[in-house]
Structure formats: C-alpha cells, structure tokens
C-alpha cells in the first residue's frame, strides 16, 4: 500500500467525533480540491510503500478498536479491500473516508464517511487538464447512491460560504433515501478563528434544515498539523 501516515488520535470530525481512532492515511487522490488540507496525499503525493500485513501490524500496535481509512482517496489503493477484511477479522470498527467518486462493494466498512466535493473545491493554478478532471469527477450522485444503499453512512460536506447550501440541497434531491440526520456540515478552513466565524452561521443552517454540525476538533486542539 502507498501509505502517507499511520497515527493514533481522536476522531476530529463527524458523527464519531471524539472517538479514539487509528488513522491509516493512504497517498494518492483522483481530485485536486482547492482547499485540500492534505496536499501531501494529492497535489504533491508522497509516502512509503508498505505491505498490507505490515499496515495491519502497525494498526494492531495501538490499544484501539476504531480504525479510520482515509487519504488521499483510500479507494484507489488496490489492497484496501484486503485491509478491510483483515481489520474486520480483528473485530475493528472500520470507517472509510472517501470523496465517493469510486464505489467498491467488496470492502467491509462499518461507517462510510462520504464527502462529495462542491464547486467550492475547484482548483486554481493547475493545468487545464487537471481542472477539467477534477470538475468531471468530483460529484457523482449515482456512486453516492450505491454507498448509501449498501453501507451505514454519513454525508459530510465542506462548507465555505452560505451559498454552498443551494448546491447541497440540489444534490440531496437527486439522491435516494438520504435522511437529514446523516447529513453533516463542516466549516472549511485550517485556522481555529476562521472556523469559529463560520460555525456561527453554519450551526443556524443546521438548525433550520435538520442537518448535523461538526467542528474540526483536531484544528482547535492541535492546529493544522500532520499526524494528529
Ligand atoms: S478528495 Fe480529499 S485528499 Fe483529495 S484533493 Fe480533495 S480534499 Fe484533498
């Protein structure tokens, strides 16, 4: 597997906020989000090649039942299915964090954390080819539907501005069987002060529409750092 980092911390986002978890972060991504906070897995991907048994061994070295497979885009890794089966045999709770542009019905996953990318993710300063690839791939309702049908899920949106809400509502209309309590809105940003500012109006949006709000707790606790 192409691994960027493996570390033990508490989940900082979403419905499992605060749960101690081992994070396995793969490198490589098929998108290039403008505000990506892990460019070392996408725009400038790097990492170590580690076989899947050694990844498992590293995960098992932490005293923890929850494992989060994240990226980058973990679904790109050819060994991700095997890793989920090995983790399942060890009775781990598995969250997969994905942009939901790729579906894999063979993985085992207890929570699919789906984070479809809105137009606020459109990159700048890249080749026209990459911009077009990003725009073509970032939002694929038919793939999101497959995830929702097969796995327990949360639908997590990164919100930059109030206008993003219209796009979210439009997407939800095109999806089948989404319950609003599974829709999680998260402010975009990597600085605690900017996140706080957005949280004021974003929590009001959540109250109005029955969505969940999630902070980015790891930014509040540790700042914009790797391995936390
Ligand atoms: S999908 Fe995630 S890892 Fe990939 S570019 Fe977007 S934010 Fe970064």
């Amino acid at each position: 597997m192409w691994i960027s980092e493996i570390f033990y911390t508490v989940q900082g986002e979403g419905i499992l906020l605060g749960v101690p978890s081992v994070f396995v972060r793969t490198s490589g991504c098929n998108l290039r989000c403008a505000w990506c906070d892990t460019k070392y897995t996408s725009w400038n991907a790097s990492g170590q090649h580690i076989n899947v048994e050694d990844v498992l061994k590293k995960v098992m070295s932490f005293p923890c039942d929850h494992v989060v497979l994240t990226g980058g885009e973990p679904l790109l890794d050819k060994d991700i299915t095997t890793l989920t089966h090995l983790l399942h045999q060890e009775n781990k709770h598995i969250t997969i964090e994905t942009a939901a542009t790729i579906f894999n019905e063979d993985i085992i996953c207890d929570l699919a954390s789906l984070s479809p990318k809105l137009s606020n993710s459109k990159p700048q300063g890249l080749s026209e080819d990459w911009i077009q690839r990003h725009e073509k791939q970032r939002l694929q309702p038919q793939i999101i539907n497959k995830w929702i049908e097969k796995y327990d899920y949360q639908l997590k949106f990164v919100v930059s501005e109030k206008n993003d809400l219209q796009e979210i509502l439009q997407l939800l209309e095109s999806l089948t069987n989404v319950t609003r309590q599974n829709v999680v809105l998260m402010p975009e940003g990597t600085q605690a002060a900017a996140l706080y500012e957005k949280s004021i109006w974003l929590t009001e949006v959540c109250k109005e529409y029955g969505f969940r709000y999630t902070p980015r707790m790891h930014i509040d606790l540790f700042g914009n750092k790797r391995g936390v």
Side-chain angles (χ1 to χ4, degrees):
M1 303 186 75
W2 195 20
I3 298 293
S4 165
E5 52 191 352
I6 300 174
F7 56 95
Y8 181 37
T9 185
V10 287
Q11 173 59 275
E13 304 171 353
I15 64 177
L16 292 177
L17 184 83
V19 175
S21 306
V22 179
F23 282 72
V24 176
R25 188 184 301 289
T26 61
S27 204
C29 188
N30 56 342
L31 300 182
R32 293 290 183 270
C33 302
W35 37 254
C36 179
D37 60 356
T38 57
K39 285 188 172 161
Y40 50 91
T41 68
S42 55
W43 291 56
N44 304 302
S46 65
Q48 278 184 289
H49 292 279
I50 306 177
N51 71 46
V52 67
E53 289 80 14
D54 288 337
V55 172
L56 178 70
K57 216 179 277 177
K58 179 77 178 169
V59 170
M60 296 302 292
S61 72
F62 298 103
C64 179
D65 291 334
H66 281 70
V67 180
V68 181
L69 306 181
T70 188
E73 175 48 77
L75 271 298
L76 287 174
D77 198 294
K78 66 179 177 41
D79 287 326
I80 200 74
T81 305
T82 306
L83 181 60
T84 65
H85 285 251
L86 294 172
L87 290 168
H88 182 68
Q89 281 168 20
E90 299 290 347
N91 296 317
K92 299 295 185 190
H93 179 285
I94 302 164
T95 299
I96 297 243
E97 294 186 337
T98 173
T101 61
I102 300 166
F103 181 62
N104 179 335
E105 63 182 355
D106 298 321
I107 59 162
I108 299 178
C109 141
D110 301 288
L111 176 66
S113 181
L114 312 172
S115 186
K117 300 302 184 270
L118 304 175
S119 57
N120 65 27
S121 68
K122 184 177 178 178
Q124 292 179 344
L126 279 177
S127 66
E128 194 52 35
D129 175 49
W130 252 118
I131 293 172
Q132 281 181 19
R133 278 169 72 180
H134 178 91
E135 288 298 287
K136 199 171 157 203
Q137 292 189 74
R138 67 177 169 79
L139 204 53
Q140 301 188 49
Q142 73 285 6
I143 292 184
I144 300 170
N145 273 333
K146 287 183 183 177
W147 281 100
I148 288 173
E149 278 161 27
K150 183 160 169 85
Y151 299 101
D152 286 344
Y153 71 95
Q154 64 180 347
L155 205 47
K156 190 173 66 176
F157 293 100
V158 177
V159 181
S160 296
E161 300 176 354
K162 289 177 187 167
N163 283 346
D164 294 342
L165 181 67
Q166 289 315 315
E167 244 179 290
I168 293 169
L169 293 173
Q170 263 177 19
L171 175 64
L172 294 181
E173 274 191 20
S174 71
L175 299 174
T176 46
N177 293 327
V178 174
T179 45
R180 289 201 171 187
Q181 64 181 11
N182 288 16
V183 176
V184 183
L185 304 191
M186 180 173 82
E188 180 267 315
T190 52
Q191 302 297 323
L195 290 171
Y196 175 72
E197 211 169 286
K198 288 177 185 169
S199 74
I200 302 298
W201 52 262
L202 195 52
T203 48
E204 292 303 319
V205 169
C206 289
K207 281 162 64 183
E208 186 176 347
Y209 289 91
F211 300 144
R212 267 180 211 236
Y213 170 78
T214 182
R216 307 195 72 205
M217 192 180 69
H218 48 298
I219 300 284
D220 293 332
L221 289 176
F222 310 113
N224 186 26
K225 287 187 193 153
R226 288 183 67 160
V228 291

